[in-house]
Amino acid sequence: MDKNLGPRLYELLEAHPRDRAVERWFDRFSIGVVILGWLMAALTSVSTIRESTADRLTFAIWVIVGIIVIEYSVRVWASGYNPCERKTARVERLAFAFASVNVLDPICIVLCSYGLLTSQPEFISAGFTLRLLRIFRFTKADDVIWTIIRRNLPQIGTVLVLWAVVVMAGAGFMYAFESKAQPDKFSNLFQCVYYMLVTFTTTGYGDLYPLTPAGKLIAASTMLISMGLLGGIPTGIVAGEFIAVRNAKYADEAGMIPVRPTEESGV
């Protein structure tokens, strides 16, 4: 075997700049294969499809799963030739196999194989759906998101605590006022928590709704709080951080040093 094969494969599959990864044909092919598999799984779930067509689709899905197995195996093997790592090749491959979004590949393979063997399209579609998340590997989106979370962890944590307080308190009040008026719909606190979550996000499925004046007041208050206060805080945090990331990128391209607002500077 060519001794340079491993380093060449690593250079081809893993070492390219991430900001150009989507433009590479191999990455586009990988994403396209998964999307095609998902569409085929969706077609096999149609009850009116002919049996011969379903058999052909099943065979095609097996081929796609085989492609995923080969790609994953090659990537894992090539990761042992990472020149930036000082670990042994075996340790590096093991770490790569279960690192970040790479772990979605074996999960996808297991789910799809089980769905094909048991004729359950839902497992096949679930496997391909999970692997679609690997698209973050070809972009900088995951880096930006995790950077935003790390920078604003105290603020985000505070918002999550306030959300939990509003939902739990509202669920308690709804149970107190609505359980007697609607014992079939608000029979326990879990149903009330579900109702509060639906109300808090202003989704409003209509399967649960209050009848008592006190319950309606709680529901209205929850919607006002979610839209007027707690809903805008995380949106402002994320929007501000995305602007900061964009400005930092432009400043880096222009050779400038980006200045972040600080409490000391009062900016």
Side-chain angles (χ1 to χ4, degrees):
M1 182 181 294
D2 188 357
K3 295 182 179 180
N4 295 324
L5 179 60
R8 289 175 180 173
L9 283 175
Y10 180 83
E11 182 69 22
L12 173 66
L13 300 176
E14 302 297 333
H16 51 269
R18 296 185 66 183
D19 58 342
R20 294 185 301 173
V22 178
E23 301 175 1
R24 297 179 65 89
W25 70 268
F26 188 85
D27 294 335
R28 292 201 300 266
F29 173 77
S30 178
I31 296 173
V33 164
V34 177
I35 295 176
L36 181 61
W38 191 95
L39 292 174
M40 289 182 177
L43 287 174
T44 59
S45 66
V46 179
S47 58
T48 57
I49 195 171
R50 291 187 298 179
E51 184 177 353
S52 59
T53 303
D55 292 338
R56 295 189 185 97
L57 289 173
T58 300
F59 176 77
I61 294 173
W62 273 118
V63 172
I64 291 176
V65 172
I67 293 174
I68 295 174
V69 171
I70 295 173
E71 178 194 349
Y72 178 68
S73 301
V74 171
R75 286 187 185 276
V76 171
W77 180 76
S79 66
Y81 293 91
N82 185 355
C84 299
E85 294 291 341
R86 297 183 178 181
K87 304 174 185 177
T88 63
R90 181 176 299 178
V91 173
E92 179 60 26
R93 287 166 182 157
L94 183 63
F96 178 88
F98 297 98
S100 185
V101 294
N102 296 330
V103 74
L104 296 177
D105 278 353
I107 296 176
C108 168
I109 294 169
V110 171
L111 288 175
C112 290
S113 299
Y114 178 79
L116 289 167
L117 293 172
T118 59
S119 300
Q120 299 185 69
E122 61 270 23
F123 285 95
I124 305 174
S125 61
F128 285 129
T129 299
L130 285 177
R131 198 175 188 272
L132 281 175
L133 298 177
R134 287 188 75 249
I135 194 174
F136 288 116
R137 178 185 176 275
F138 310 129
T139 69
K140 291 184 176 180
D142 57 337
D143 287 345
V144 173
I145 292 172
W146 284 115
T147 299
I148 292 174
I149 292 176
R150 285 194 298 269
R151 287 178 180 176
N152 301 277
L153 191 58
Q155 297 91 327
I156 295 175
T158 300
V159 172
L160 292 177
V161 170
L162 291 175
W163 283 358
V165 169
V166 172
V167 170
M168 294 175 68
F173 285 120
M174 290 299 296
Y175 181 70
F177 294 116
E178 294 294 327
S179 60
K180 295 180 180 179
Q182 303 183 75
D184 56 329
K185 293 185 177 181
F186 293 89
S187 59
N188 56 64
L189 280 172
F190 292 107
Q191 287 182 312
C192 296
V193 169
Y194 163 76
Y195 168 76
M196 290 302 298
L197 288 173
V198 172
T199 304
F200 191 87
T201 56
T202 66
T203 303
Y205 290 119
D207 53 344
L208 297 178
Y209 51 89
L211 295 179
T212 64
K216 294 179 180 179
L217 178 61
I218 294 169
S221 301
T222 301
M223 287 183 281
L224 290 174
I225 293 173
S226 65
M227 290 189 301
L229 178 60
L230 299 183
I233 295 176
T235 303
I237 292 174
V238 173
E241 283 297 332
F242 269 109
I243 293 174
V245 171
R246 182 199 62 182
N247 292 341
K249 178 182 178 181
Y250 290 160
D252 181 67
E253 292 175 351
M256 303 169 58
I257 300 177
V259 179
R260 288 181 55 83
T262 60
E263 296 180 359
E264 290 79 3
S265 62
V267 180

